[in-house]
Amino acid sequence: MKPINNGYVRFLFVLFIAMIISGCVSQQGSTVQSPASSQLPAPTHSSTYLIGAEDVLNISVWKEPELNREVTVRPDGGVSFPLVGDIQVKGKTVDEVKTIVSKKISKYIPKAEVTVSLIRASSYKIYVLGKVNKPGQYVLGSYVDVLQSLSLASGLTPYANSDEIKILRRIDGKEIVFPFHYSEVSSGARMNQNIVLQSGDVVLVP
């Protein structure tokens, strides 16, 4: 029997450790989503979230299994539900939709207990572009401000001009620009710059 080469044993040991480390890194990385497809669960503050196109709602009536279904908000902002027909939900909160459905369905089912919940939020989209670590589109389930959007994009790169950040917003076909000076806001000054972003806003980091 040939003697075991100590150098070969050391090589196998190093290779084994490397495989373990690689497996751990891969397992951790598997939970990371690309910014373009990043989507968070439905908002925790659904009472203030304004419903939009592509959002998915669950509407149900207690003890009425045939009146329990998921509905997707159409591009025109409407949804259809049995006994209720077409209703406009765009720009309304979940509680407001519940009130509308309850009123309409009470004609057929007096004192009906209606539940409306937001299953998936797809209408609130923002864009963080430029010199951030993870630029792209973010589909979110709750409203965020500028600082939170930068955090979602994993922060600024070392080459970013942090005091020349701009928020671009389109209203009635016109583009509105909001300046954002990171050094001021991060130090607690002029916090009014840290606006809550609207769907479609672009945070541009030069």
Side-chain angles (χ1 to χ4, degrees):
M1 179 183 294
K2 293 184 179 180
I4 299 175
N5 188 303
N6 289 334
Y8 182 69
V9 171
R10 285 196 297 272
F11 170 77
L12 289 178
F13 179 76
V14 171
L15 181 62
F16 175 73
I17 295 299
M19 290 173 66
I20 293 177
I21 294 174
S22 175
C24 292
V25 171
S26 298
Q27 187 174 11
Q28 292 173 350
S30 64
T31 63
V32 178
Q33 292 179 310
S34 63
S37 62
S38 178
Q39 183 163 338
L40 303 181
T44 53
H45 302 291
S46 58
S47 60
T48 60
Y49 179 84
L50 299 182
I51 297 166
E54 300 180 26
D55 287 343
V56 179
L57 305 174
N58 180 267
I59 304 176
S60 63
V61 180
W62 189 52
K63 291 187 176 181
E64 301 290 344
E66 70 279 6
L67 298 178
N68 183 350
R69 62 186 60 187
E70 292 184 5
V71 294
T72 301
V73 182
R74 302 189 303 264
D76 65 356
V79 297
S80 296
F81 193 75
L83 302 183
V84 175
D86 262 11
I87 56 172
Q88 278 291 317
V89 299
K90 183 178 180 180
K92 293 180 172 59
T93 65
V94 165
D95 289 340
E96 289 173 330
V97 174
K98 176 183 175 181
T99 300
I100 294 171
V101 173
S102 298
K103 184 177 180 179
K104 287 182 173 292
I105 214 165
S106 64
K107 298 176 183 178
Y108 309 96
I109 308 175
K111 298 182 180 180
E113 293 188 26
V114 176
T115 300
V116 179
S117 56
L118 182 62
I119 300 299
R120 186 170 67 251
S122 301
S123 63
Y124 183 55
K125 302 172 184 177
I126 64 167
Y127 304 83
V128 187
L129 306 177
K131 293 177 181 176
V132 291
N133 289 302
K134 291 184 178 180
Q137 172 186 282
Y138 289 84
V139 182
L140 306 174
S142 57
Y143 298 112
V144 296
D145 55 34
V146 181
L147 282 179
Q148 290 170 328
S149 73
L150 295 175
S151 176
L152 285 171
S154 297
L156 310 178
T157 70
Y159 306 104
N161 188 344
S162 62
D163 285 339
E164 293 295 333
I165 297 173
K166 293 180 175 61
I167 295 88
L168 311 180
R169 177 176 298 169
R170 189 168 293 277
I171 301 177
D172 297 329
K174 296 181 180 180
E175 189 171 85
I176 309 297
V177 179
F178 300 91
F180 183 86
H181 300 270
Y182 185 87
S183 61
E184 292 179 346
V185 177
S186 60
S187 65
R190 297 180 63 191
M191 293 298 293
N192 60 315
Q193 299 177 82
N194 191 32
I195 61 175
V196 174
L197 300 175
Q198 295 183 7
S199 184
D201 281 359
V202 178
V203 179
L204 185 60
V205 182

